[in-house]
Amino acid sequence: MADITERKAMEAELRAAQDISTQASRLSAMGALASTIAHELNQPLASATNYLTVSSLMMARGADARPDEITASIDGAAASIGRASEIIRRMRRFTLSGEVSRVPVSLRAIIGRAWATLRTRADAEGVQLVRALDEAVDTVECDPVQIEQVVTNLMKNALDAMTGSAVRRLTLSSRVEGREIRVRVADSGPGLPPDVAANLFEPFRTTKANGTGLGLPICRTMIEAHGGRIWAEDAPGGGAQFVFSLPLDRD
Ligand code: ADP
């Protein structure tokens, strides 16, 4: 009898501990998502503000005002606000159900868009981009905005890591391995110190003065929601390499 009571008590304790840890990881995932939403909303809302400021300046011209230009500018603001609402709707769906909306998209196009966001900085810092994408498979079923966010985060981290390096090379490659496609983002920076590598994907771990430590947890949340995995390893020529996988044929 005593044995059973003790075992039951231990089981209850274990369950309580698991509940707390599930709640904690859910909370940190929510924190990461909140920061993603803030980050993503910034651009369309800033653009809506610009359109409206321009509209107001055009209206102030009085008799010289061009109604067609004013209408186009207000339409621009409306479209930007529409984009912001779409981001909120998609994120809401994602946080409620953990589900992502998948559409067939070109990986090459996603990588191209991510690179375009960082291009000005990369050029200024003399970073060379090498692309070696698998010719056989380019189309993946995913949420293009989330995967672009993942690639952008990984590329940005790579640029951050290479600021003190003589050789600055960012290599993006993809390869079909079994029933998944793996995307690798490799840099020629100093690599990952073991103490950093141990907790890379935990929220709020950062070695940067202005870092949030949320980039990698956000990436992990998004990749895992797609049924994939993400990890870090040493890059072949030194430096760090982040790899994520996306399943190719989901049942
Ligand atoms: P943040 O970029 O805000 O610090 P992240 O979660 O994206 O947050 O990254 C956490 C930490 O992982 C970084 O502070 C850095 O120490 C390390 N890290 C990430 N990517 C690289 C990389 N490519 N090379 C070396 N260290 C890296």
Side-chain angles (χ1 to χ4, degrees):
M1 256 327 253
D3 261 9
I4 293 173
T5 319
E6 206 175 312
R7 206 185 66 216
K8 286 227 160 104
M10 269 170 63
E11 279 171 2
E13 246 174 74
L14 192 65
R15 256 198 314 277
Q18 277 166 346
D19 278 353
I20 289 170
S21 99
T22 316
Q23 217 174 338
S25 66
R26 202 174 292 150
L27 269 180
S28 61
M30 292 293 276
L33 281 165
S35 119
T36 316
I37 295 175
H39 178 92
E40 284 198 56
L41 286 184
N42 223 8
Q43 198 275 331
L45 292 182
S47 135
T49 308
N50 281 343
Y51 274 121
L52 290 177
T53 308
V54 170
S55 316
S56 153
L57 288 174
M58 289 194 293
M59 280 191 238
R61 282 194 214 139
D64 289 341
R66 295 261 316 266
D68 54 331
E69 284 182 358
I70 297 173
T71 309
S73 184
I74 292 177
D75 286 349
S80 299
I81 293 169
R83 217 161 55 238
S85 331
E86 176 53 30
I87 290 172
I88 295 176
R89 251 198 312 279
R90 207 181 42 228
M91 283 294 173
R92 223 218 254 93
R93 213 165 43 224
F94 182 50
T95 41
L96 283 180
S97 63
E99 270 179 30
V100 289
S101 34
R102 291 179 171 80
V103 284
V105 281
S106 152
L107 204 51
R108 191 175 292 273
I110 291 182
I111 290 171
R113 279 201 299 274
W115 176 246
T117 354
L118 297 170
R119 174 122 224 181
T120 314
R121 178 183 163 192
D123 284 347
E125 293 175 3
V127 176
Q128 178 199 1
L129 174 73
V130 181
R131 262 182 281 199
L133 303 182
D134 199 315
E135 299 285 334
V137 175
D138 183 48
T139 305
V140 284
E141 292 230 341
C142 65
D143 179 326
V145 177
Q146 288 196 359
I147 300 305
E148 183 183 327
Q149 174 96 22
V150 170
V151 177
T152 311
N153 273 334
L154 297 180
M155 281 182 161
K156 189 188 153 297
N157 276 347
L159 296 187
D160 289 346
M162 292 189 288
T163 48
S165 308
V167 176
R168 298 178 187 171
R169 189 182 309 113
L170 178 54
T171 310
L172 262 139
S173 54
S174 68
R175 202 164 72 204
V176 174
E177 291 176 33
R179 297 167 57 162
E180 58 184 30
I181 187 155
R182 290 189 182 173
V183 179
R184 294 181 166 78
V185 181
D187 63 59
S188 57
L192 298 160
D195 56 327
V196 174
N199 307 302
L200 262 184
F201 294 93
E202 279 175 33
F204 312 117
R205 305 273 182 163
T206 181
T207 55
K208 300 173 195 170
N210 299 317
T212 58
L214 287 173
L216 291 175
I218 289 175
C219 291
R220 187 170 70 175
T221 307
M222 292 179 169
I223 292 297
E224 288 181 354
H226 279 79
R229 289 175 303 127
I230 181 167
W231 67 95
E233 52 195 33
D234 293 331
Q241 166 165 286
F242 283 81
V243 191
F244 68 84
S245 65
L246 291 171
L248 284 175
D249 46 355
R250 294 180 324 111
D251 304 318

